[in-house]
């Protein structure tokens, strides 16, 4: 599982302030920390950055590349000019940079797909259409095919497309969480050779903070089983990184058992908690903020 660090993010107080003041130190410390924690990519998340994104993005790209020139970067903003300005100054990395993201809306992808082709960038194909979030896996699939055709037409092969079916919070839209698993299952046949990713932490948005890691970890294992190639994740969640890198087959095994409808025999509190969490995500147990206590 490829990991894309989520925390170089305008929403973080420290990083937001450093972006605003053009203070390189907190940004470079964050980038070095993410590398040290084993992140394969770093997501530079500016948010909408409507006003000065076209100046901010190239500055952040250069600031990060000064200290971690070997880590590929994901450029995350809805400001198209900011992405292009970032790609202009981008120094080549072992893997191409990643445009985060291109929505399945013609007025956006007609501009952005040629940009990806021009700069030899990979891109995240976001399953967010003219009407917003797709209602189910079939709507996700229709948007995926639309973006894939447009990219292939522009000479971009599937291996450069990272499909993101959009993760939604489990405590409000349990059926959407299942829809993404189903979409993930279809993707291999629909888009041979393509990659996939998602904003994993979205699944635990709104949950109490001490319960977010186990929700994120459990959902990641489920998505991985259906072929998820990468996740945008919290670099400080070391257990998540450990599981992602294949070091916890015991955890994967009990979650798979629940997915297969079995009642796995578990001997530790740790594994029992993963069993309970898997049941909540699959909808076998109703979501409540106290699911580990029942
Ligand atoms: N798909 C794609 N890109 C994305 C997302 C996606 N980029 C943004 C987001 N979703 C993924 N990144 C984050 C970053 C932070 C958090 C969640 C997802 C997060 N942060 C903590 C919080 O809000 O409580 C802490 C913030 C802080 O540091 O203060 O949850 O879906 N392609």
């Amino acid at each position: 599982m490829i990991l894309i660090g989520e925390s170089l993010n305008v929403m973080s107080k420290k990083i937001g302030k450093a972006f605003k003041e053009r203070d390189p130190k907190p940004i470079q410390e964050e980038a070095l920390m993410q590398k040290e924690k084993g992140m394969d990519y770093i997501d530079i998340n500016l948010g909408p950055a409507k006003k000065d994104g076209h100046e901010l993005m190239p500055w952040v790209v250069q600031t990060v590349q000064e200290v971690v020139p070997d880590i590929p970067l994901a450029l995350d903003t809805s400001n198209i000019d900011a992405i292009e300005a970032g790609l202009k100054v981008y120094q080549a990395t072992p893997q191409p940079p990643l445009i985060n993201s291109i929505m399945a809306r013609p007025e956006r992808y007609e501009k952005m797909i040629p940009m990806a082709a021009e700069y030899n960038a990979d891109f995240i194909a976001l399953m967010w259409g003219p009407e917003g979030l797709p209602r189910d896996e079939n709507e996700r699939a229709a948007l995926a095919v639309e973006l894939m055709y447009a990219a292939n037409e522009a000479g971009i092969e599937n291996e450069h497309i990272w499909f993101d079916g959009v993760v939604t919070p489990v405590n409000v839209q349990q059926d959407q969480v299942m829809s993404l698993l189903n979409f993930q299952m279809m993707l291999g046949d629909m888009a041979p050779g393509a990659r996939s990713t998602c904003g994993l932490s979205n699944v635990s948005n709104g949950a109490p903070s001490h319960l977010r890691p186990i929700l994120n970890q459990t959902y990641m294992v489920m998505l991985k089983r259906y072929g998820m190639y990468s996740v945008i994740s919290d670099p400080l969640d070391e257990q998540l990184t450990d599981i992602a890198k294949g070091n916890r087959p015991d955890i994967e095994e009990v979650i798979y058992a629940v997915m297969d409808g079995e009642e796995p025999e578990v001997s530790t509190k740790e594994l029992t908690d993963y069993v309970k969490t898997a049941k909540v995500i699959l909808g076998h147990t109703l979501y409540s903020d106290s699911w580990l206590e029942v």
Side-chain angles (χ1 to χ4, degrees):
M1 178 73 68
I2 296 291
L3 297 176
I4 304 172
E6 71 178 15
S7 49
L8 188 61
N9 189 330
V10 67
M11 305 243 289
S12 136
K13 254 203 201 113
K14 194 167 79 180
I15 300 301
K17 185 161 174 276
F19 282 172
K20 212 162 150 195
E21 295 173 355
R22 303 287 195 274
D23 177 5
K25 197 153 169 269
I27 295 167
Q28 292 180 333
E29 281 170 4
E30 169 71 27
L32 287 165
M33 178 280 283
Q34 291 201 23
K35 178 180 171 163
E36 206 256 324
K37 295 289 182 189
M39 296 301 106
D40 301 294
Y41 281 72
I42 295 174
D43 189 60
I44 299 178
N45 187 341
L46 303 188
K50 283 209 183 89
K51 237 179 46 210
D52 71 340
H54 61 289
E55 288 163 15
L56 180 56
M57 183 62 90
W59 179 79
V60 179
V61 167
Q62 286 171 322
T63 300
V64 170
Q65 290 204 304
E66 256 177 48
V67 291
V68 290
D70 49 343
I71 299 226
L73 305 176
L75 310 188
D76 189 353
T77 171
S78 45
N79 180 336
I80 299 177
D81 295 333
I83 296 212
E84 177 154 29
L87 293 172
K88 273 211 168 91
V89 302
Y90 193 89
Q91 297 291 321
T93 41
Q95 302 295 323
L98 191 48
I99 294 173
N100 187 8
S101 54
I102 304 185
M103 296 177 194
R105 294 183 167 180
E107 79 277 11
R108 291 188 66 88
Y109 70 66
E110 282 166 6
K111 270 195 226 161
M112 295 183 79
I113 286 176
M115 186 192 295
E118 182 184 343
Y119 292 91
N120 289 311
D122 286 4
F123 74 90
I124 297 179
L126 191 71
M127 300 303 98
W128 193 269
E131 276 124 58
L133 182 71
R135 272 166 295 195
D136 59 21
E137 57 270 28
N138 296 313
E139 288 192 7
R140 285 181 162 80
L143 296 175
V145 167
E146 182 179 340
L147 267 170
M148 180 176 68
Y149 280 170
N152 293 163
E153 194 76 9
I156 299 175
E157 290 175 49
N158 285 355
E159 66 177 293
H160 298 294
I161 310 173
W162 302 42
F163 287 95
D164 181 342
V166 183
V167 172
T168 49
V170 67
N171 60 355
V172 283
Q173 283 175 307
Q174 206 276 334
D175 57 323
Q176 280 284 6
V177 168
M178 292 308 298
S179 161
L180 180 62
L181 286 176
N182 292 332
F183 169 72
Q184 208 57 41
M185 204 171 352
M186 297 157 72
L187 195 58
D189 290 328
M190 227 166 49
R195 301 181 182 187
S196 50
T197 193
C198 65
L200 183 66
S201 305
N202 300 353
V203 79
S204 63
N205 230 319
S209 56
H210 70 286
L211 294 172
R212 293 193 68 174
I214 194 165
L215 271 175
N216 298 343
Q217 293 158 13
T218 306
Y219 196 41
M220 179 186 69
V221 169
M222 294 177 167
L223 289 163
K224 181 179 168 203
R225 195 182 199 191
Y226 288 136
M228 181 64 78
Y229 173 76
S230 72
V231 293
I232 305 170
S233 69
D234 178 1
L236 293 177
D237 187 343
E238 291 177 354
Q239 173 99 330
L240 182 103
T241 301
D242 220 27
I243 299 169
K245 296 302 174 188
N247 299 328
R248 294 303 303 270
D250 54 332
I251 294 173
E252 293 185 75
E253 192 184 329
V254 296
I255 295 171
Y256 288 177
V258 176
M259 293 171 85
D260 293 337
E262 294 161 18
E263 265 300 335
E265 295 261 349
V266 293
S267 49
T268 62
K269 158 100 166 82
E270 186 191 33
L271 290 178
T272 306
D273 285 350
Y274 284 101
V275 169
K276 288 180 179 172
T277 306
K279 288 181 178 172
V280 166
I281 293 175
L282 291 173
H284 300 172
T285 316
L286 216 56
Y287 180 89
S288 82
D289 284 347
S290 56
W291 79 88
L292 292 184
E293 283 138 48
V294 294

